[in-house]
Amino acid sequence: IWPRGDEAAWKSGFRGVETDLASITKSIVGHVQTTLARRAYNIDEEGMYRAIAYSVRDDLIVNWNETQMLYTKKSPKRAYYLSLEFLMGRTLDNALLNLDLKENYQQAAKTLGFEDFEELVESERDAALGNGGLGRLAACYIDSGTTCELPLWGYGLRYHYGMFWQQISTDGSQVEAPDPWLNHANPWEVHRPDVTYLIRFYGYAERYGDKKAIWSGGQEVLAVAYDVPIPGSFTRNTNNLRLWDAKPKRGFDLNSFNAGDYEKAVESSNSADALTRVLYPNDNHMVGKELRLKQQYFWAAASLADIIRRFKQLGEPWAKFHEHVAIQLNDTHPTIAVPELMRIFVDEEDIPWDEAWEIIQKVFCYTNHTVLPEALEKWAVPLFQQLLPRHLQIIFDLGLLASMANLAVLGSHKVNGVAELHSELVKTTILKDFVDFYGPSKFGNVTNGITPRRWLDQCNPGLSALITETLGGSKTEWLKDLTKLQGLLAHAEDPVFQKKWADVKTQNKQRLAHFIEQTLGVKLNTSALFDIQVKRIHEYKRQSMNILGVIHRYLTIKALSAEERKKVVPRVILFGGKAAPGYYMAKLVIRLINNVAKVINADPDVQDILTVLFVPDYSVSL
């Protein structure tokens, strides 16, 4: 039954994905004219990028709507990926690759007077939603899940300023500046003012009955949804990344403003906005710790409210919740979702405690990312008691303290590490007691992979083209089935193939050298061996050991004679990555790297033999 109005009128107005050059060109011009309110005489590169982005987003939304309608009709079990980070990179190039429309959009832009399409693509600033491997893994999962046509959604936070924009001062220290990536609006997101949930903090929890309670009072903040369509590769399947932004429940206090108390008039707005301003706020002080915990609960509670709303539309009993919902916890950050779901089941849905806990353990899975005890989140009981009093009661009733890793393991039916060695260490060190109690079957390994569309085809187009040429057929075949790469083994000893492979590596080194010369003003020897370590700066990531090795290499070369130095393989050593604003030792490592680089790069004895650089503001695109 058609829900509203004349079915034929509705369907005649629906558009499909526009694939021909004329339709694409018309769509771009339409967005220049009506979305941006510009014309040919005043459209610049930034405006053309946005017009193209809106045009591509239209196609994504067409596929997104059809995908969601299919899920609604079929009611499959849905997977939800909760991650505090999503390192998505640039969206335009990825969307065009997945839609297989890059060539036509490139031609349309050229027709409209914009010859350099790659310059338009590169003008997009990376979405500031992640920092390192955690976000990279999340981005790969939702990309690959969509490509495999799985009903998978991601849930995260819409950070206004991301981690930070990293700069390096004259003394080599990291300087943090805001990353205002949303200043020009994000053409890829869809604001959902109709999807909002009230999230409570503070207040008090009054017990009654069998482990039940009423949580009331305190502060309420509004969670507002923003959707980012995630296209699958060479499929119409399009999933969703839902990001939550925080807004005040009541907003501007006009009475306080009229009374002259201007600060109080905007107090609630500022308090709410702080929740989604920055990824990983500095937690070296109690205010920062409280903000982090508020952030995590706000995101987890809004996501669960959304998941439960969707489940209730099915009309199924709670006993079947786990047959329709699977939730993956990416690290310990979303673990507060476990007691939050318990609170909803027991306090709001009147499900008996033991039955609720049994359902919960069938719903959650947990990915562990570290074996360092100090990196596993623990919260002070007084802070937890003040901010989330009902959740602390539930955690105590479960026989736990506020240790997020223990809670994640207890509330999940599967626990995995992200590499074989790491997963074994998890079982034999930090979670050994749980393995002894539950047995090894609950604990497994899921080795981190990459999505080849973004991390091979887009990042390394030369290598992608060579693979396609060598294997034959279309690149879509091996990009969706990496087992086909085994076909390269037959060419491993072929001198012609080896030469082409080496040429691609050289071209990539030249691209990187050009970027570094443009940004840092340093000309690199592209015949040298490039030695690169790019990841979050942390003591256990061992950048400190790497730079000590560089110092040793430098001193060894200095001790050689001029003739002996001629036999040394030239080496360019590059570092990149961000240190958390409150992580003193990691920031000291960055300063050490930069000052070691100053000494080495200024020494004529090692010129063209050894070069060391720290490349600031690492991102997916960099």
Side-chain angles (χ1 to χ4, degrees), residues 11-315:
K11 290 186 173 180
S12 67
F14 287 150
R15 52 158 287 182
V17 174
E18 294 175 337
T19 58
D20 64 279
L21 181 58
S23 297
I24 288 171
T25 305
K26 184 178 180 180
S27 173
I28 295 171
V29 172
H31 280 293
V32 170
Q33 182 182 14
T34 60
T35 307
L36 305 182
R38 298 193 195 178
R39 301 294 288 269
Y41 71 88
N42 64 351
I43 189 74
D44 55 9
E45 280 75 11
E46 188 271 336
M48 179 52 64
Y49 156 73
R50 289 176 61 198
I52 290 172
Y54 282 120
S55 173
V56 175
R57 192 192 72 167
D58 288 346
D59 288 339
L60 296 184
I61 290 176
V62 169
N63 287 341
W64 186 93
N65 276 325
E66 291 187 4
T67 302
Q68 305 319 307
M69 284 294 294
L70 179 65
Y71 291 165
T72 301
K73 289 178 182 177
K74 299 289 186 181
S75 301
K77 184 173 184 177
R78 293 180 183 238
Y80 300 100
Y81 199 83
L82 270 60
S83 179
L84 208 54
E85 295 187 36
F86 286 92
L87 205 62
M88 303 304 296
R90 291 174 179 148
T91 303
L92 176 57
D93 203 33
N94 184 64
L96 289 175
L97 167 69
N98 287 349
L99 289 168
D100 198 20
L101 290 176
K102 185 169 182 177
E103 188 175 322
N104 279 1
Y105 269 90
Q106 193 166 359
Q107 185 58 48
K110 189 175 182 180
T111 303
L112 296 172
F114 292 84
E115 300 282 339
D116 193 341
F117 191 74
E118 291 307 317
E119 185 177 332
L120 294 176
V121 169
E122 291 174 11
S123 69
E124 179 183 350
R125 183 156 181 84
D126 285 22
L129 300 174
N131 176 45
L134 191 80
R136 195 269 315 153
L137 178 66
C140 287
Y141 264 129
I142 59 172
D143 180 285
S144 295
T146 308
T147 297
C148 293
E149 301 184 347
L150 301 174
L152 169 64
W153 274 33
Y155 280 104
L157 287 176
R158 184 178 179 262
Y159 306 107
H160 294 208
Y161 298 104
M163 182 82 169
F164 54 80
W165 177 27
Q166 183 190 53
Q167 297 170 303
I168 303 300
S169 67
T170 53
D171 70 350
S173 300
Q174 170 181 284
V175 177
E176 300 98 24
D179 181 3
W181 72 288
L182 289 173
N183 270 9
H184 294 289
N186 178 13
W188 302 104
E189 67 184 12
V190 180
H191 181 204
R192 298 287 194 186
D194 56 316
V195 181
T196 61
Y197 301 98
L198 279 175
I199 310 300
R200 185 185 306 279
F201 301 103
Y202 310 111
Y204 52 91
E206 183 179 350
R207 285 185 178 273
Y208 74 98
D210 184 17
K211 295 183 179 178
K212 295 182 180 180
I214 297 174
W215 183 24
S216 58
Q219 174 194 22
E220 287 184 315
V221 175
L222 203 61
V224 183
Y226 286 77
D227 287 345
V228 180
I230 305 296
S233 183
F234 310 109
T235 170
R236 297 182 69 180
N237 196 66
T238 304
N239 284 333
N240 194 46
L241 170 59
R242 178 156 285 178
L243 304 173
W244 298 108
D245 205 350
K247 301 294 181 185
K249 180 182 178 181
R250 292 184 176 84
F252 185 68
D253 185 348
L254 185 60
N255 290 332
S256 295
F257 186 85
N258 288 337
D261 193 345
Y262 304 133
E263 289 186 5
K264 187 177 180 182
V266 296
E267 184 179 41
S268 62
S269 293
N270 291 340
S271 175
D273 289 346
L275 282 172
T276 49
R277 290 228 185 251
V278 177
L279 167 66
Y280 299 140
N282 189 348
D283 63 352
N284 281 357
H285 41 72
M286 187 53 67
V287 175
K289 286 181 170 64
E290 181 177 331
L291 180 56
R292 276 208 186 192
L293 184 54
K294 285 183 77 172
Q295 236 183 22
Q296 292 180 13
Y297 176 68
F298 169 82
W299 152 58
S303 301
L304 283 177
D306 202 47
I307 291 167
I308 286 172
R309 175 189 60 81
R310 197 169 296 114
F311 171 75
K312 284 184 172 181
Q313 291 173 348
L314 300 174

Side-chain angles (χ1 to χ4, degrees), residues 332-387:
T332 54
H333 309 124
T335 305
I336 192 64
V338 174
E340 168 64 5
L341 188 55
M342 196 69 178
R343 183 192 69 80
I344 294 169
F345 280 174
V346 173
D347 295 351
E348 297 182 2
E349 302 300 335
D350 206 27
I351 301 174
W353 178 274
D354 290 341
E355 184 182 334
W357 185 242
E358 184 180 348
I359 297 170
I360 282 172
Q361 288 182 307
K362 294 176 182 178
V363 168
F364 287 105
C365 296
Y366 163 51
T367 297
N368 173 277
H369 281 264
T370 181
V371 296
L372 294 179
E374 64 269 24
L376 298 172
E377 287 186 308
K378 294 180 180 179
W379 298 103
V381 170
L383 171 62
F384 221 96
Q385 172 69 44
Q386 177 193 16
L387 188 63

